[in-house]
């Protein structure tokens, strides 16, 4: 694991937080299918963040489910997109990832998806329409994402608080500060 607790296969740099909070429109989007165990991890993570933290006025938290291209108008209206999802990487289940740029397709919602289109395609469509937000993905390697069952595995459920704390800590480096309630 790297500093910050993210999986070593992914490289990123920390930006020093400034004293002035960002006023750009930020969307924190939890995605996934809650009917397939840990595939719904991103949705459960955004619910946790909404319940446990107070966010600046310029930050919107949203359950994006499996909407794909239907999210385009919402994505077009934000400057910075933060996606919470499961990631199919090379690390053990429960590993936490931070993805940017070309690494986005490791996120389950950013690869060939069974939901209309994947989110990279949706972002490309946004760019063609005139506005593509900057994007980050925070994800966790799932324990089980194929079993049809509502609810996370007990292992994924146990990782939720740590995952969300890491998201909040990293967002400070992007001038997005949340308060624990």
């Amino acid at each position: 694991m790297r500093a910050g607790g993210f999986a070593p296969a992914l490289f990123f740099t920390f930006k020093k937080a400034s004293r002035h909070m960002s006023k750009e429109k930020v969307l924190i989007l939890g995605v996934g299918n809650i009917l397939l165990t840990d595939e719904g991890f991103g949705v459960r993570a955004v619910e946790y963040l909404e319940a446990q933290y107070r966010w600046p006025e310029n930050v919107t938290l949203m359950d994006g489910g499996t909407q794909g291209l239907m999210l385009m108008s919402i994505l077009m209206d934000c400057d910075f997109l933060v996606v919470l999802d499961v990631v199919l990487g090379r690390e053990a289940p429960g590993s936490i990832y931070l993805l940017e740029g070309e690494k986005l397709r490791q996120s389950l919602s950013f690869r060939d998806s069974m939901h209309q289109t994947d989110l990279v395609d949706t972002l490309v469509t946004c760019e063609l329409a005139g506005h593509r937000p900057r994007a980050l993905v925070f994800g966790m390697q799932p324990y089980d994402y194929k079993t049809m069952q509502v609810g996370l595995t007990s292992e994924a459920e146990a990782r939720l608080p740590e995952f969300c704390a890491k998201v909040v800590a990293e967002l400070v480096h992007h001038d997005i500060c949340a308060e624990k309630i």
Side-chain angles (χ1 to χ4, degrees):
M1 296 301 269
R2 287 179 44 126
F6 296 103
L10 307 167
F11 300 97
F12 59 94
T13 58
F14 287 106
K15 177 181 156 191
K16 188 174 180 180
S18 72
R19 294 180 187 187
H20 300 82
M21 293 296 104
S22 171
K23 291 301 173 197
E24 63 185 356
K25 290 181 183 178
V26 177
L27 175 61
I28 300 176
L29 185 68
V31 295
N33 186 340
I34 62 169
L35 301 177
L36 294 172
T37 51
D38 294 348
E39 226 256 70
F41 186 80
V43 173
R44 299 305 181 214
V46 84
E47 291 170 350
Y48 183 93
L49 289 170
E50 195 164 31
Q52 299 294 320
Y53 293 88
R54 186 172 302 116
W55 295 88
E57 289 180 21
N58 63 312
V59 176
T60 301
L61 286 87
M62 181 182 165
D63 169 355
T66 59
Q67 294 182 61
L69 197 57
M70 294 177 67
L71 293 168
M72 187 172 156
S73 65
I74 294 163
L75 300 181
M76 293 278 297
D77 194 41
C78 76
D79 301 305
F80 184 38
L81 173 65
V82 177
V83 178
L84 310 177
D85 196 6
V86 290
V87 169
L88 300 178
R90 295 182 178 162
E91 300 298 319
S95 297
I96 298 172
Y97 294 83
L98 172 62
L99 309 173
E100 297 179 88
E102 294 303 312
K103 300 270 188 196
L104 291 177
R105 286 200 194 265
Q106 283 184 304
S107 164
L108 198 56
S109 292
F110 279 83
R111 63 171 55 215
D112 302 323
S113 172
M114 53 191 162
H115 328 293
Q116 282 179 316
T117 185
D118 68 30
L119 282 174
V120 168
D121 292 339
T122 302
L123 288 173
V124 168
T125 304
C126 288
E127 187 172 19
L128 292 171
H131 179 71
R132 178 179 175 160
R134 292 182 300 117
L136 282 181
V137 173
F138 291 92
M140 185 193 73
Q141 180 80 26
Y143 293 89
D144 177 4
Y145 66 98
K146 295 181 178 180
T147 301
M148 184 169 257
Q149 174 182 315
V150 175
L152 300 174
T153 60
S154 59
E155 298 91 345
E157 186 76 38
R159 300 283 292 153
L160 200 54
E162 179 188 356
F163 174 87
C164 290
K166 287 182 179 191
V167 169
V168 169
E170 176 62 21
L171 290 179
V172 168
H173 301 286
H174 296 273
D175 297 332
I176 302 164
C177 297
E179 278 181 61
K180 183 90 168 120
I181 296 176

